[in-house]
């Protein structure tokens, strides 16, 4: 510490620290699984190319043909007084968003800014479709960013069909199986790991309510309501609510059909209640951010809605970092 102002953590500290960081994050509803985390120590990798290869291997190992394994890959920590390694992508697997000249957007509107930044770096979208995979951008400390294309065969995607509506599959909607957050800073014992991508599995509402349902995302509710023959002229018909439920049923149905791990928001909420009891038995206080823990649909039908959680940030934990391209 006196000589370098920092210290090198053991693999045990890294492993247990990552699990506790997950257990401490107040916004995560999936924390019952906190002791089931595979931790890959990749702190010795020193080139963007090697880091990219480790990311591809993470996707393959975590996807596990659909039986998803919670995993984190930890790259070298930030040195005091220097910027740390950064992965510019918010998630490893994300779709491009192309803003057209006439203002319409093809793809994911959430990523129009990142897609523009990538165009400035010379990247060009494959076929300008609604589900073009973004390249991975890795920036080593004090170096320019480097771009890498993900191999298509390592990205498992699920085409959406519906248990009752045979027309649903014709809409050509799909989503990727693995959520891998890659832009957060993992802090353990005062050490910052600015590149530590981690994955779990999806809760269905993330895809069915937010990613595909939000107006400023894929905004699919009007289309689904029309296909269902609902009267969309008045809010009072609750056409949005009925389309939302069917879109979420399609997500859960399709992932199960494809053998890809996913959890519904009722089961996730019930497990979270059980997790809180186990934490109390372990003598630990559980902190939770109610506005993130309560699912984005049917909130009051889940038990977490009726509990006034206390929110607090403790470390070890995962924190936001500024977007590196700003
Ligand atoms: C195993 C299955 C898991 C499920 C079902 C799950 C579920 C979720 C959900 C639904 C959210 C809210 C996301 C949103 O509303 O955009 C969330 C947040 C979060 N989860 Fe989990 N999670 C799981 C595993 C993990 C793992 C393995 C980690 C890290 C090791 C983790 C760390 C976090 C963090 C840091 C947040 C807050 C992100 C933010 O503030 O933007 N989760 N989780
Ligand atoms: N199911 C998941 N969902 C998320 C977990 C954390 C963050 C996010 C996405 O957060 C974005 C940033 C703010 N809202 C959307 C999604 C997991 C990803 C990685 C491990 S579990």
């Amino acid at each position: 510490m006196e000589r370098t102002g920092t210290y090198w953590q053991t693999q045990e500290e890294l492993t247990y620290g990552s699990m506790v960081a997950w257990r401490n994050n107040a916004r995560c509803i999936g924390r019952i699984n906190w002791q089931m985390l595979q931790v890959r120590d990749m702190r010795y990798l020193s080139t963007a190319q090697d880091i990219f290869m480790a990311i591809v291997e993470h996707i393959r190992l975590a996807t596990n043909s659909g039986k998803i394994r919670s995993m984190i890959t930890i790259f070298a920590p930030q040195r005091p007084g220097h910027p740390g390694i950064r992965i510019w992508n918010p998630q490893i697997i994300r779709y491009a968003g192309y803003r057209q000249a006439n203002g319409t957007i093809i793809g994911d509107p959430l990523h129009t800014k990142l897609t523009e930044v990538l165009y400035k770096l010379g990247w060009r979208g494959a076929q300008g479709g609604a589900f073009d995979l973004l390249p991975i951008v890795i920036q080593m400390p004090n170096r320019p960013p480097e771009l890498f294309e993900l191999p298509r065969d390592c990205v498992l995607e699920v085409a959406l069909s519906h248990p009752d509506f045979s027309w649903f599959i014709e809409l050509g909607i799909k989503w990727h199986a693995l959520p891998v957050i890659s832009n957060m800073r993992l802090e353990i014992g005062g050490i910052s790991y600015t590149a530590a991508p981690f994955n779990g599995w999806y809760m269905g509402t993330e895809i069915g309510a937010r990613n595909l349902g939000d107006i400023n995302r894929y905004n699919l509710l009007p289309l689904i309501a029309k296909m269902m023959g609902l009267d969309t002229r008045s809010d009072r018909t609750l056409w949005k609510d009925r389309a939302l439920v069917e879109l979420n049923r399609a997500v859960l149905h399709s992932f199960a059909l494809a053998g890809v791990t996913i959890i519904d928001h009722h089961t996730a909420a019930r497990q979270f209640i059980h997790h809180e009891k186990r934490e109390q038995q372990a003598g630990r206080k559980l902190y939770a951010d109610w506005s993130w823990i309560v699912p984005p649909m049917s909130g009051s039908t889940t038990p977490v809605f009726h509990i006034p959680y206390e929110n607090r940030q403790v470390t070890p934990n995962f924190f936001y970092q500024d977007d590196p391209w700003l």
Side-chain angles (χ1 to χ4, degrees):
M1 288 295 281
E2 272 140 32
R3 187 165 47 78
T4 63
T6 183
Y7 68 104
W8 193 258
Q9 290 171 335
T10 65
Q11 291 208 339
E12 290 72 19
E13 286 172 323
L14 213 52
T15 300
Y16 195 66
S18 302
M19 293 175 177
V20 174
W22 177 11
R23 193 187 71 202
N24 282 341
N25 194 273
R27 290 177 162 178
C28 180
I29 195 172
R31 289 180 270 171
I32 193 164
N33 306 295
W34 72 275
Q35 293 162 302
M36 300 257 294
L37 180 68
Q38 290 188 252
V39 180
R40 296 184 338 132
D41 177 2
M42 295 290 168
R43 293 176 289 173
Y44 52 89
L45 299 184
S46 60
T47 68
Q49 173 70 31
D50 287 343
I51 288 171
F52 171 68
M53 304 301 283
I55 289 169
V56 171
E57 191 188 25
H58 179 127
I59 296 173
R60 293 192 200 283
L61 289 171
T63 302
N64 189 31
S65 308
K67 189 156 180 37
I68 293 174
R69 297 183 279 216
S70 295
M71 190 175 290
I72 184 168
T73 297
I74 303 177
F75 298 110
Q78 176 177 14
R79 287 174 53 213
H82 291 261
I85 302 168
R86 289 300 302 276
I87 298 168
W88 285 23
N89 313 63
Q91 290 195 31
I92 296 296
I93 302 168
R94 284 275 96 163
Y95 300 120
Y98 305 101
R99 185 182 299 283
Q100 308 297 301
N102 65 7
T104 59
I105 292 171
I106 294 176
D108 194 339
L110 184 63
H111 303 118
T112 49
K113 180 76 190 112
L114 178 55
T115 303
E116 281 162 27
V117 167
L118 288 166
Y119 263 63
K120 288 197 181 79
L121 292 173
W123 182 72
R124 290 293 177 271
Q127 66 275 30
F131 300 101
D132 287 358
L133 286 179
L134 286 168
I136 304 304
V137 185
I138 297 165
Q139 182 170 28
M140 301 308 283
N142 303 311
R143 304 297 306 275
E146 299 170 61
L147 276 67
F148 303 88
E149 283 296 341
L150 282 174
R152 289 286 323 174
D153 71 314
C154 81
V155 179
L156 178 57
E157 292 178 304
V158 178
L160 296 195
S161 61
H162 188 278
D164 306 330
F165 304 148
S166 55
W167 47 261
F168 202 99
I169 188 73
E170 314 304 330
L171 300 178
I173 308 165
K174 63 178 176 177
W175 202 257
H176 59 91
L178 199 74
V180 194
I181 302 302
S182 42
N183 64 353
M184 293 188 85
R185 176 176 64 86
L186 165 61
E187 182 179 316
I188 301 170
I191 306 295
S192 284
Y193 297 93
T194 51
F198 60 87
N199 78 278
W201 46 84
Y202 267 119
M203 181 163 80
T205 51
E206 297 181 77
I207 304 167
R210 304 304 313 277
N211 299 344
L212 297 177
D214 279 7
I215 288 178
N216 52 17
R217 296 294 298 281
Y218 282 79
N219 190 23
L220 291 177
L221 298 185
L223 170 66
I224 289 165
K226 187 162 66 70
M227 298 298 289
M228 288 171 65
L230 302 180
D231 175 1
T232 59
R233 288 170 306 174
S234 157
D235 289 343
R236 295 166 65 96
T237 64
L238 299 191
W239 62 269
K240 270 192 187 177
D241 312 69
R242 295 178 62 187
L244 182 64
V245 166
E246 296 312 326
L247 178 51
N248 278 273
R249 288 184 69 213
V251 169
L252 294 169
H253 166 77
S254 307
F255 269 61
L257 213 55
V260 177
T261 311
I262 195 165
I263 190 165
D264 68 85
H265 49 295
H266 300 288
T267 305
R270 184 172 55 249
Q271 289 181 357
F272 185 71
I273 298 293
H274 182 59
H275 171 62
E276 183 179 19
K277 288 186 179 55
R278 291 198 339 195
E279 286 299 282
Q280 277 157 1
Q281 285 159 2
R284 288 189 292 262
K285 175 111 173 68
L286 172 132
Y287 296 115
D289 180 340
W290 192 95
S291 63
W292 275 64
I293 295 294
V294 174
M297 69 182 278
S298 312
S300 62
T301 69
T302 68
V304 290
F305 178 92
H306 307 279
I307 297 172
Y309 294 106
E310 182 185 346
N311 189 6
R312 191 177 296 187
Q313 263 193 357
V314 294
T315 70
N317 211 321
F318 292 92
F319 298 96
Y320 287 158
Q321 334 184 64
D322 292 339
D323 281 333
W325 57 79
L326 299 176

